[in-house]
Amino acid sequence: MKRIGCALALAAALVLAAGWAPSLDYPRSPVSIIVPYGAGGGTDLIGRALADTVKGSFPRGIAVENRLGGGGSVGMSYGQNARPDGNIITNITVELVTLPHTGTGGDISHEKFIPLIMFNSTYSAVTVQKSSPHNTLKDLLTAAKTDPIQVGNSGIGAIWHLAAASLEQAAGVEFIHVPFDGAAPAITSLLGGHIDAVTVSYAEVVSQVDAGELKVLAVLAPQRLPVAPDIPTATELGYNVSVGSWRGFGVPLNTPPEIVAWLEKTFTDGVNSPGFVKFMKDTKNDIELLSSAEYAKRLARDYEMFGKLINDLGLSK
Amino acid sequence: MFTAEVFANVFEPLTLLYLVVGVAAGIGIGCLPGLTATMGVALVLPLTFGMEAIPGILLLLGVYVGAIYGGSVSAILIRTPGTPAAAATVLDGYEFAKRGEAGRALGISTLSSFVGGMISCVILAIMAPWLARIALKFSSPEFFLLAVFGLCVIASISGASLAKGLLCGALGMILACVGIDGITAHMRYTYGNINLLSGINYIPVMIGLFAMSQAFEGVEDIFKRNAVTGAIPSVLPRRSDLLVMARVAPLCGLAGTAIGIIPGAGADIAAFVAYGQTKNLSKRPELFGTGIPEGVAAPESANNGVTGGALIPMLTLGVPGDAVAAIMIGALTVQGLQPGPLLFRNHPALINSVFMGMFLANIVMCLMGFFCIRAFVKVLSIPKAILTPAIFMLCVVGSYAMANNFFDVWTMLVFGIVGYFLNKIDIIASPAVLGLILGPMAESHFRRALLMGRGSYGVFFSTPLTWIFWGLIAFSLFLPFWQRRKGGSAGRK
């Protein structure tokens, strides 16, 4: 079944490529997708799956290249300063609009990229142990008024720390923020009962929720998540907080508009292909598709929002 | 447990082929400096997307087992640990090669890796669900004490002078301070360079200190004839070596498995701890570092012992035991399988196929290792004028390939020069690597433990596990003194 899906996707991509290629002298050379995080991680897996889906449109090949360091800033900086010919595409992540505010982004800036498409988003899920006495978000936040509640995150100043902090702001409580080196150790610590809650993404806790080890009290999302329609949003519960992470592709500023348009179309078709949709479903990731223009607005909006939040938290440079 | 279905799954010809190819690829990847087991598994991962679950996962397991073993080959032959897991093997392994006994050391390494791996498989297959819960008992106080326990090994790997070893270990820990501090996000010694934000990566440092420094030294006598020849009498370990292994390997394999179960502690720590503690318990500690069989058997059985251990929390709880297990969680998820308690309940045949695949991967690794020893040793008969530039090239490519960041190549070169001069003044570089690996672990867990304990140092004494670690630390620090005193009175030099 999987093979048939891939074959169909490939065929679709080939047909598209045939229809588009004559009008444009691109791609003439091999194209690289820069993933600023490690091979085998979430960003890498999705990036590779999407690259695999569209490889028929790139006759000279499309390859994923992991450039690590600086919490994502090294790879994104490389990508934004590459020659604007469309041969270097960067897998941009929410860190593009958070790291500049914390002063740890080097020269990275969302204004130095033309966003192609956004293909994935994930939102913070306030998660506790299944046996926790807190059954609703309100329980947890009420308890936080009197007791010290330890909330684990994926690193200081990282997106899920910002999520917990903005919930704190909205509810007028204080948590003890416990930063871990990534989301996985934070979840492990919660499983062991060493902390009270985590605010990492829904995608990262879903397997433990399905296994009956953890429960999600609320998601910090604008709407209920398609993958979890039963879980309320914080906004519904009276706390106006929405903090999420996203993944997308961008090319350097000054890339010719016809190349941008071709890439946007190619990747949009890739995201909608059955193979990619199945991959995202299997890995419990949501597809949220934004066009180049919508994505640019989202980047500007998030840049403002995180700037204010990081400043309020005293984490700005 | 191993039903007919499991046999049919694993002994399907194509699946077996993938397993064998995986082990071979793993050994190759492991040999090359910079290409770690983690990288190897990550590189092969995309190939499994189009495969069925069982062949795919067995391919990855093959790479994992092969790579952890493969690191020792280059450690023994050219003093270049192919993976951090083999950093401890250099200490005695290369001494064998210097004496022209590389084949003997490789034989010991192969068989010990096999013993360690098999022990971890047995534990994985029969005790996984029970042991997994222990993994969750580990919190920051325990991790901090584990790191301190690991740092105690510096005393064992310092060579002749403890002071030099401690100095070197401190150097490693100071280097580990560079980067964004993980608790308060303070930037330490980053000088506005984004490459330093996430700290100094220990892999290029390791390649520099061990391999590059050795290559620099190789330049000095590049036109000399090779002192050691590729001729070896037999690849099978001799009787006396077997006796040593029978004593050391099972215990170190067990220790490795235990460390593998702990999430976040991997093969590099296990190998060092096994080396240090075997030396502590040995009747001839003064011979460690001069090329004795237990100096190779201990780290090699321990690092392969980690392989099965790391799979325990991954398969049973969906919690990664080390970086490789984290990637395997990704591999299983792509197949639509969620590691964790549900996997055991809903897919028992898959789980048992994984167990059986681990056994087979270890057997294949052992056979392949013995089969290839003669070929491996041929590397030493390559003239220095060719071998030395080749090592230079491997060092550069290896440190670049890891993160595709040229900054790492400069790091490697700087530490190559540092390592060259450390060699000249008889300082063993291993404590620096240990400090660099364990320093960040000790620091972040120490501060997180205090954060979680709201500033009270009582957290470091709050659970039975912490007391066990205090006991182990006391044991490993005082045993050598006690032994030296006892040895001294018996008239030992």
Side-chain angles (χ1 to χ4, degrees), chain B residues 121-173:
Chain B
C121 288
V122 171
I123 293 178
L124 171 68
I126 57 178
M127 289 166 73
W130 291 279
L131 287 174
R133 289 281 145 191
I134 297 173
L136 291 183
K137 295 252 186 285
F138 273 77
S139 183
S140 289
E142 288 85 359
F143 281 118
F144 166 68
L145 293 172
L146 172 67
V148 173
F149 177 54
L151 286 169
C152 292
V153 173
I154 288 179
S156 304
I157 55 174
S158 298
S161 161
L162 181 61
K164 284 178 181 174
L166 288 175
L167 213 63
C168 212
L171 175 78
M173 290 187 76

Side-chain angles (χ1 to χ4, degrees), chain B residues 322-345:
Chain B
D322 66 2
V324 177
I327 297 175
M328 286 198 191
I329 290 184
L332 283 168
T333 323
V334 169
Q335 299 284 351
L337 300 161
Q338 272 299 341
L342 290 181
L343 192 65
F344 261 76
R345 218 172 303 150

